[in-house]
């Protein structure tokens, strides 16, 4: 594989710079300045020029901004580290624009990209490339040879393409050819796979080329980002503010670069330290105390010829012992005495001129070192009744002595402490305790034991976080978990959280089964108590978490009833009737099988008979189990079919909805058929109102003609319809004039170009609709006064009075009221029937008659009498 390398002159011009030479110079982002090289201490001007880690200040800023902008792109920012690193590698290998067809592209294949990322080819094809394609961060095209075999992959990084199409040359991602070559050389030096091309010098593998497998992509990406944020001195630029002491400022800085948690960045930093590319130490101070943490990128420091950090100066992840600062041997010991106690070598990380700055190592105490036990040189001479006498061989001081007079320098030494817990808690001379020392110590021990979260050693292997000593604050959970409160204290927080979830789930199921929801906590507590009695007590439980979640809280049904728990009904507490039925059924089967055995095999011995009965019972149970499995499979199949049918119906509904939306959009785009107004769905609102108004006017004329004219007399019907039309048109004109009087014409015209026309059409429609209602009511009234309607009313009146319950008192109020109501209903029904019949007759007369063609029996003689074309020509000739 060939690498895209810039010409030597351009690379020399870009790579030679030092951070110390940029002080006082003004520089703007994106500005192309003349970069010059300054040789490191002890090197000539030509040494180290080919080292890709020697980045000038401007070039480092340029590359750092490009990589950070690429990783912050929305299509890449939320991805994992492997796709992010793949995007950076493909970006560095992209071709600079030259007007060619393959500008901004790069050619690679899956196996080669996996070597860059430190993972297998299958992982690249399954977890890297599909993810980048899915977020539209990468477009790929398979390259084939003349035979159609795939030979590679053309990749286009979309953030780079978008940046060069929209942002131009000033965009952070729009690097030049020389800048892309510099970035690629840097990546090759850090984690390049290395290769040996033919007829060329081999390219050695990068620093992390051997780091493969899980976390390799994260380590490589983290190293690249740290190098781009490292000065020429080799020290990483750390973030400010407060950070957690456990992770440290270096881990916080790497976490911000990678976008991960500080704990995860601490692991990455530890792996890089173990790989020998990162060194961590603390800055020395003049007070010999522990200074600020520092992280050095050793490859960068070596590239600039800086002094590497010594092995003793690097505080590895596993150093936990307390080390004294250089020269610290006592409170006022001279500096020469430091050699007697030994030095830690912490101060050897910087140059010799920096040796005056000292620091305090991790875990060193603030107090000066003392000997834990002083060996007496002169024998003790006790004269009696003096302070310090009578201590015996234990070395304890009198009860009224200061508790800190013979305390050891470290708290772990127990030899100098008080042998009595009461004496150890005594106050100083002249002080009066406000509380009993024993009570204070017990309270302190109780507080320490009841702390919410502590790390304790488990089996000498790892630490776990202790849980809460008290049950949850929820009253239902406290009642339900009360029987296992002693087991609760032995769980850590993670286990307690899962027990709470399991208990809540069981309480939810119990509330669905029980009649009152308040019964759920006591029922669950009774279940735990019963399970404890079965086990033999809490002391016999070796694994509390597993026992609670898999045995104590779990319901054990003996039948198919959801209210059954180990043969007991949860709602009543009595024996489960369903279980009794099952037991009775099994006993009945046993009796039946025993009878069959006695009938088929008479004379069997007792043991043989028992074995035969048990064998047949087992076969019967197996048959029942197989039948149950078959029925369960059938039920699952039916459920799957219902789900598939439901999904198909939902898909069909979605398709129909989309089709209806498309048809509605097409209809909406059609112009009005009457006035030609665009996008009116074939008919605009004004024209639709006009059509409806015209239909309503015609309907009103026919309604008036049903009672005022003979339906068969078309002339009379037309005259009535003309009068009705004139009346309705006059009413429409009057209503429109009234509307114009109460409406501001300027505001109406400002509402739209067609607002006046739409308002007039709507006004006419409303007036015509109201007139149709009035004419219908008038037609019903007039037809109800006719002879037919009156005759029906009289018949209904007489029929109602003739009913048996009214024959005795036909003149009573109830009888007259009922007869009158029946007559009114009959009159109304008759009027409605007459109106419907006459309207149908008038509509039939208004519709044009269909012109039917004459039958062929009548048309054939006429056609036969016509001369043919040739005969007509002969007659003319």
């Amino acid at each position: 594989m060939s690498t895209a390398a810039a010409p030597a002159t351009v690379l020399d011009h870009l790579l030679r710079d030092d951070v110390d030479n940029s002080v006082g110079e003004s520089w703007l982002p994106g500005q192309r300045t003349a970069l010059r090289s300054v040789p490191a201490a002890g090197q000539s001007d030509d040494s180290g020029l080919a080292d890709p880690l020697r980045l000038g200040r401007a070039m480092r800023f340029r590359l750092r901004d490009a990589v950070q902008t690429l990783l912050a792109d929305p299509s890449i920012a939320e991805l994992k580290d492997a796709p992010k690193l793949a995007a950076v590698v493909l970006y560095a290998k992209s071709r600079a624009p030259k007007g060619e067809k393959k500008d901004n592209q790069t050619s690679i294949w899956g196996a080669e990209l996996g070597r860059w990322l430190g993972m297998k080819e299958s992982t690249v094809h399954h977890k890297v490339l599909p993810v980048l394609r899915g977020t539209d961060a990468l477009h790929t095209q398979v390259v084939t040879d003349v035979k159609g075999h795939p030979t590679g992959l053309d990749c286009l990084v979309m953030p780079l393409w978008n940046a060069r199409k929209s942002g131009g040359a000033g965009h952070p991602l729009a690097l030049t050819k020389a800048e892309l070559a510099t970035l690629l050389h840097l990546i090759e030096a850090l984690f390049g796979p290395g290769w040996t091309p033919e007829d060329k010098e081999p390219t050695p593998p990068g620093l992390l080329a051997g780091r493969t497998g899980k976390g390799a992509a994260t380590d490589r990406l983290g190293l690249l980002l740290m190098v781009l944020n490292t000065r020429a001195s080799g020290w990483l630029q750390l973030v400010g503010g407060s950070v957690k002491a456990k992770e440290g400022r270096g881990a916080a800085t790497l976490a911000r670069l990678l976008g991960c948690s500080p704990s995860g960045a601490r692991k990455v930093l530890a792996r890089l330290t173990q790989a020998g590319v990162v060194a961590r130490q603390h800055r020395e101070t003049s007070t010999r105390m522990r200074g600020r943490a520092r992280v050095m990128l050793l490859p960068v420091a070596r590239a600039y010829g800086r002094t590497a950090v010594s092995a003793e100066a690097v505080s590895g992840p596993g150093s936990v012992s307390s080390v004294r600062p250089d020269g610290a041997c006592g409170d006022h010991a001279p500096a020469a005495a430091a050699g007697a106690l030994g030095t830690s070598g912490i101060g050897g990380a910087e140059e010799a001129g920096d040796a005056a700055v000292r620091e305090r190592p991790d875990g060193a105490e603030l107090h000066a070192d003392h000997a834990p036990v002083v060996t007496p040189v002169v024998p003790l001479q006790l004269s009696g009744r003096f302070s310090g006498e009578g201590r015996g061989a234990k070395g304890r001081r009198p009860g009224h002595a200061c508790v800190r007079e013979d305390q050891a320098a470290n708290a772990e030494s127990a030899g100098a402490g008080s042998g009595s817990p009461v004496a150890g808690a005594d106050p100083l001379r002249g002080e009066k305790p406000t509380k009993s020392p024993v009570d204070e110590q017990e309270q302190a021990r109780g507080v320490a034991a009841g702390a919410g979260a502590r790390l304790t050693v488990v089996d000498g292997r790892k630490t776990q976080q202790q849980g809460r000593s008290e049950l949850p604050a929820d009253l239902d959970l406290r009642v339900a978990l009360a029987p296992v409160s002693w087991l609760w204290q032995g769980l850590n927080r993670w286990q307690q959280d899962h027990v709470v979830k399991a208990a809540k789930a069981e309480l939810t199921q119990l509330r669905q089964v029980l009649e009152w929801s308040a019964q759920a906590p006591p029922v669950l507590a009774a279940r735990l108590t019963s399970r404890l009695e079965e086990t033999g007590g809490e002391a016999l439980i070796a694994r509390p978490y597993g026992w609670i979640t898999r045995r104590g809280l779990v319901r054990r049904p003996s039948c198919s009833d959801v209210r059954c728990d180990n043969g007991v009904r949860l709602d009543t507490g009595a024996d489960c009737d369903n279980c009794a039925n099952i037991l009775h059924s099994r006993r009945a089967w046993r009796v039946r099988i025993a009878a069959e055995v006695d009938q088929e095999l008479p004379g069997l011995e007792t043991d043989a008979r028992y074995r035969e009965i048990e064998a047949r019972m087992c076969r019967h149970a197996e048959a029942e189990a197989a039948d149950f499995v078959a029925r369960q499979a059938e039920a699952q199949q039916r459920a799957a079919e219902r789900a598939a049918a439901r999904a198909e119906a939902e898909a069909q509904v979605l398709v129909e909805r989309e089709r209806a939306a498309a048809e509605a959009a097409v209809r909406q785009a059609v112009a009005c058929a009457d006035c030609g107004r665009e996008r009116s769905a074939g008919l605009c609102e004004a024209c639709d109102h006009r059509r409806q108004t015209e239909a309503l006017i015609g309907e009103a004329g026919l309604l008036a003609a049903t009672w005022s004219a003979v339906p068969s007399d078309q002339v009379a019907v037309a005259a009535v319809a003309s009068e009705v039309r004139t009346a309705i048109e006059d009413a429409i004109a009057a209503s429109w004039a009234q509307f114009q009087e109460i409406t501001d014409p300027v505001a109406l015209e400002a509402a739209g170009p067609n607002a006046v026309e739409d308002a007039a059409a709507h006004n006419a429609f409303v007036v015509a609709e109201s007139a149709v209602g009035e004419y219908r009511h008038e037609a019903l009234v007039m037809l109800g006064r006719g002879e037919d309607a009156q005759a029906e009313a009289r018949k209904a009146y007489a029929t109602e009075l003739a009913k048996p319950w009214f024959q005795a008192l036909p003149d009573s109020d109830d009888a007259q009221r009922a007869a009158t109501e029946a007559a009114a209903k009959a009159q109304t029904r008759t009027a409605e029937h007459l109106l419907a019949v006459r309207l149908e007759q008038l509509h039939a007369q208004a519709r044009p008659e269909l012109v039917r063609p004459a039958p062929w029996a009548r048309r054939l003689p006429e056609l036969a009498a016509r001369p043919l074309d040739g005969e007509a020509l002969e007659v003319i000739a």
Side-chain angles (χ1 to χ4, degrees), residues 12-35:
D12 293 345
H13 178 70
L14 291 173
L15 295 176
R16 298 179 183 179
D17 191 16
D18 191 85
V19 67
D20 300 331
N21 303 323
S22 60
V23 179
E25 298 179 4
S26 61
W27 178 82
L28 297 177
Q31 178 182 357
R32 299 297 190 270
T33 58
L35 307 179

Side-chain angles (χ1 to χ4, degrees), residues 555-612:
R555 184 177 69 92
R556 295 186 298 190
S558 300
C559 61
S560 59
D561 194 349
V562 295
R563 298 168 297 178
C564 177
D565 183 13
N566 204 15
V568 179
R569 286 277 296 268
L570 293 174
D571 52 350
T572 61
D575 294 338
C576 180
D577 297 335
N578 194 18
C579 293
N581 294 334
I582 294 175
L583 183 60
H584 176 73
S585 177
R586 290 176 181 175
R587 288 176 178 175
W589 270 105
R590 187 176 184 86
V591 172
R592 184 180 304 177
I593 290 174
E596 291 177 357
V597 169
D598 293 340
Q599 183 179 0
E600 295 176 2
L601 302 173
L604 285 178
E605 296 181 358
T606 305
D607 295 340
R609 178 178 177 273
Y610 176 78
R611 288 194 297 269
E612 182 64 22

Side-chain angles (χ1 to χ4, degrees), residues 17 173 176 391 784:
D17 191 16
L173 289 177
T176 62
R391 304 182 191 181

Side-chain angles (χ1 to χ4, degrees), residues 212-225:
T212 59
K214 183 179 179 180
T218 303
D219 295 349
R220 299 182 182 203
L221 183 61
L223 179 61
L224 174 62
L225 294 175

Side-chain angles (χ1 to χ4, degrees), residues 176-409:
T176 62
K177 180 179 181 180
E179 292 168 343
L180 285 174
T182 305
L183 178 60
L184 182 59
H185 276 295
L186 175 61
I187 294 176
E188 289 176 355
L190 294 179
F191 50 84
W195 53 87
T196 306
E198 297 180 359
D199 302 333
K200 292 183 180 179
E201 295 183 359
T203 301
L207 298 173
L208 296 182
R211 173 71 175 96
T212 59
K214 183 179 179 180
T218 303
D219 295 349
R220 299 182 182 203
L221 183 61
L223 179 61
L224 174 62
L225 294 175
M226 286 195 296
V227 167
L228 293 178
N229 286 271
T230 301
R231 302 183 182 93
S233 60
W235 296 107
L236 176 65
Q237 296 182 6
L238 302 180
V239 297
S242 60
V243 298
K244 293 183 178 180
K246 180 180 180 182
E247 282 78 15
R249 196 169 299 278
T253 304
L254 184 57
R256 182 171 298 181
L257 294 177
L258 288 175
C260 64
S261 62
S263 61
R266 179 170 57 87
K267 299 176 183 178
V268 175
L269 202 60
R271 292 196 296 265
L272 294 177
T273 304
Q274 186 177 5
V277 295
V278 170
R280 291 176 290 172
Q281 69 163 168
H282 290 271
R283 187 185 299 274
E284 297 179 349
T285 61
S286 59
T287 59
R288 301 181 182 180
M289 296 299 179
R290 183 177 180 180
R292 296 184 60 183
R294 296 191 296 178
V295 176
M296 171 175 279
L297 274 299
L298 298 178
V300 177
R302 297 190 189 101
Y304 284 96
R306 306 294 180 183
T307 302
V309 180
S310 63
E312 297 129 358
V314 179
S315 62
S319 65
V320 294
S321 60
S322 174
V323 184
R324 293 186 302 275
D326 291 346
C329 63
D331 287 343
H332 305 286
L341 294 178
T343 59
S344 61
I346 301 299
E350 291 289 357
E351 294 83 352
D354 239 0
V357 182
R358 304 294 181 182
E359 69 169 347
R360 182 177 64 86
D362 296 341
E365 293 80 10
L366 297 180
H367 199 268
D369 292 341
H370 296 278
V373 179
V374 180
T375 304
V377 179
V378 181
L380 293 175
Q381 298 179 4
L382 305 179
S383 60
R385 296 198 179 109
F386 286 99
S387 176
E389 293 183 9
R391 304 182 191 181
K394 296 182 180 180
R396 290 198 302 111
R397 56 185 184 278
H400 295 285
C402 177
V403 297
R404 287 173 290 186
E405 285 183 354
D406 54 343
Q407 182 178 355

Side-chain angles (χ1 to χ4, degrees), residues 672-751:
C672 181
D674 294 347
C675 64
R677 185 185 300 180
E678 296 181 355
R679 298 188 60 80
S680 301
L683 189 65
C684 65
E685 183 179 2
C687 295
D688 185 24
H689 285 156
R690 292 193 190 97
R691 289 188 180 185
Q692 295 183 21
T693 302
E694 188 66 25
L696 290 173
I697 291 175
E699 185 71 17
L702 296 180
L703 288 172
T706 54
W707 61 271
S708 60
V710 180
S712 59
D713 190 358
Q714 296 185 3
V715 177
V717 172
V720 173
S722 177
E723 293 178 0
V724 171
R725 177 178 293 275
T726 302
I728 293 178
E729 290 178 352
D730 293 343
I732 290 172
S735 177
W736 178 247
Q738 184 179 3
F739 176 78
Q740 288 180 333
E741 290 178 0
I742 63 177
T743 306
D744 187 7
V746 178
L748 188 61
E749 292 179 358

